[in-house]
Amino acid sequence: MTGHNGRAQVGIVSDVVLQRHRLQAAAAKFGLEICFSGDPERLQGQSGFPDAGLWLVTLEDEADHPALFDYLLENTEVPVLFGLDQAPAPGSTEYFRWERRLQGKLEQQLGELAQLDSRASLEELAEQAPESAASPELPQWLTAAAPGSVAEDVWVLCASLGGPAAVKAFLDSLPPGLPVGFIYAQHIDGHFAEVLTRVLGRHAHYQLRHAEENYRVKNGDVVLMPVEHEWKFESTGVLAELDTPWPGPYGPSIDQVLLNAADYYGARCHAILFSGMGDDGVTAAPLLKAYGSRIWVQESTSCGNSSMPDSVAATGCSSFCGTPEQLARELVKTIEKSCLLKGRQKRNTA
């Protein structure tokens, strides 16, 4: 069954309040609508039976509620998932594994849960009139990157539902000439890549370009990772397409993009997690942090869906949180500090 907004409806039954809350939070993160959440007694005492498309049942001791199973069978023909694992504490590695297992079980019954930006929403974004305000200026202490120069530092822009609008606002807020390249990992229907190119194609300074074999990321690039096959960086820094699809249910795999980029760039690879569903980036974030990389997240209220950045923030790996515009300003300040430090080091060694 689906709710008024088209999302699948689920019912949650547990005799442990904490487990109900954690199941509710996880189900909401996957874009599901909760039509009932309560203990067995409350369900059996209701005057009408909730119209769920799937039931999630987790009990401390099933022997304490002998009538529940028969009650569900008598009142519904939809799937009932019994005996779900107890959820660990949120933010822990065990919790994210539990969440992934739960997602797998839900998708076996309901199909893919990820909501992606529609063609209509992307078209609307592409047709928006450009902002009249002039682009920010490059700080006086920064020398503009030479056109076509290879990027020493890259930032991976990671996004899913609501991501195109956030990434557009971020790029709109950057001055031209920054010595940085971007890799863009966006969960999107593969047929919408052309519309996404138009959404971000107005940027004279940061041009969206599709990944190409043997290409090295240049300063000013926004290299879009394709949906169909996995891409990696060779030891020379050039892009290479693999014959295999991205691991996981959605392409490009945000975790794998981060790991592949960090494998070549090391501490010169950083990440920003923008709006999106699920918990993509949670696996890669601790590994990037160990390299010395910066991991930033979009602030919740500015997201179309904040599950992805919130999940990465919960790992404790992120060092900055802000709106797309604030993230852009922080990036400029960070690059400026880095360049000033490099200049000072060069003078000290001269």
Side-chain angles (χ1 to χ4, degrees), residues 125-198:
L125 199 57
E127 289 167 10
Q128 282 180 5
E131 295 288 338
S132 56
S135 294
E137 292 186 2
L138 197 68
Q140 60 175 328
W141 305 110
L142 277 178
T143 303
S149 56
V150 172
E152 287 189 22
D153 295 273
V154 299
W155 285 73
V156 185
L157 311 179
C158 311
S160 186
L161 181 66
V167 171
K168 180 180 184 297
F170 169 77
L171 294 174
D172 279 342
S173 303
L174 292 178
L178 285 175
V180 66
F182 298 105
I183 298 163
Y184 185 14
Q186 170 72 54
H187 285 167
I188 196 168
D189 186 307
H191 298 99
F192 300 170
E194 168 266 327
V195 191
L196 187 62
T197 303
R198 279 195 282 119

Side-chain angles (χ1 to χ4, degrees), residues 58-76:
T58 176
L59 304 172
E60 198 163 35
D61 188 345
E62 292 183 13
D64 292 339
H65 308 282
L68 178 63
F69 185 71
D70 288 337
Y71 181 77
L72 284 166
L73 286 180
E74 288 168 9
N75 284 279
T76 184

Side-chain angles (χ1 to χ4, degrees), residues 71-343:
Y71 181 77
L72 284 166
L73 286 180
E74 288 168 9
N75 284 279
T76 184
E77 295 180 355
V78 303
V80 179
L81 299 183
F82 265 98
L84 297 171
D85 299 336
Q86 299 284 318
S92 64
T93 303
E94 292 75 20
Y95 178 82
F96 291 117
R97 287 176 181 156
W98 171 84
E99 213 172 38
R100 290 271 171 98
R101 289 197 301 274
L102 177 63
Q103 182 180 359
K105 289 177 181 178
L106 291 170
E107 290 189 332
Q108 282 178 356
Q109 302 296 333
L110 302 172
E112 284 190 7
L113 297 177
Q115 289 177 284
L116 303 178
D117 290 87
S118 67
R119 178 179 285 275
S121 67
L122 289 172
E123 290 282 5
E124 186 178 337
L125 199 57
E127 289 167 10
Q128 282 180 5
E131 295 288 338
S132 56
S135 294
E137 292 186 2
L138 197 68
Q140 60 175 328
W141 305 110
L142 277 178
T143 303
S149 56
V150 172
E152 287 189 22
D153 295 273
V154 299
W155 285 73
V156 185
L157 311 179
C158 311
S160 186
L161 181 66
V167 171
K168 180 180 184 297
F170 169 77
L171 294 174
D172 279 342
S173 303
L174 292 178
L178 285 175
V180 66
F182 298 105
I183 298 163
Y184 185 14
Q186 170 72 54
H187 285 167
I188 196 168
D189 186 307
H191 298 99
F192 300 170
E194 168 266 327
V195 191
L196 187 62
T197 303
R198 279 195 282 119
V199 168
L200 301 177
R202 290 193 178 133
H203 291 277
H205 314 307
Y206 298 94
Q207 287 290 329
L208 187 71
R209 61 179 302 139
H210 297 264
E212 298 171 27
E213 283 273 353
N214 298 313
Y215 183 77
R216 292 193 73 181
V217 180
K218 309 292 196 303
N219 289 312
D221 281 348
V222 182
V223 179
L224 180 67
M225 287 287 106
V227 170
E228 296 80 11
H229 292 129
E230 183 177 348
W231 286 68
K232 68 171 188 175
F233 289 88
E234 300 285 12
S235 59
T236 56
V238 300
L239 279 161
E241 182 179 14
L242 305 182
D243 293 332
T244 51
W246 293 101
Y250 315 113
S253 162
I254 285 169
D255 279 299
Q256 198 62 47
V257 171
L258 289 169
L259 293 173
N260 290 356
D263 194 42
Y264 172 71
Y265 287 98
R268 296 180 293 116
C269 167
H270 310 283
I272 304 177
L273 282 296
F274 289 96
S275 176
M277 285 180 61
D279 59 3
D280 301 84
V282 160
T283 301
L287 297 168
L288 264 70
K289 187 181 180 185
Y291 274 124
S293 302
R294 291 182 174 87
I295 300 160
W296 296 351
V297 296
Q298 184 178 349
E299 179 269 329
S300 300
T301 61
S302 65
C303 293
N305 188 301
S306 68
S307 293
M308 191 163 80
D310 288 351
S311 295
V312 171
T315 66
C317 293
S318 61
S319 58
F320 185 79
C321 173
T323 65
E325 295 80 8
Q326 289 168 339
L327 288 161
R329 288 196 292 272
E330 186 68 14
L331 178 61
V332 174
K333 284 198 295 185
T334 300
I335 292 173
E336 186 177 14
K337 284 180 188 174
S338 175
C339 288
L340 286 169
L341 184 62
K342 285 177 186 173

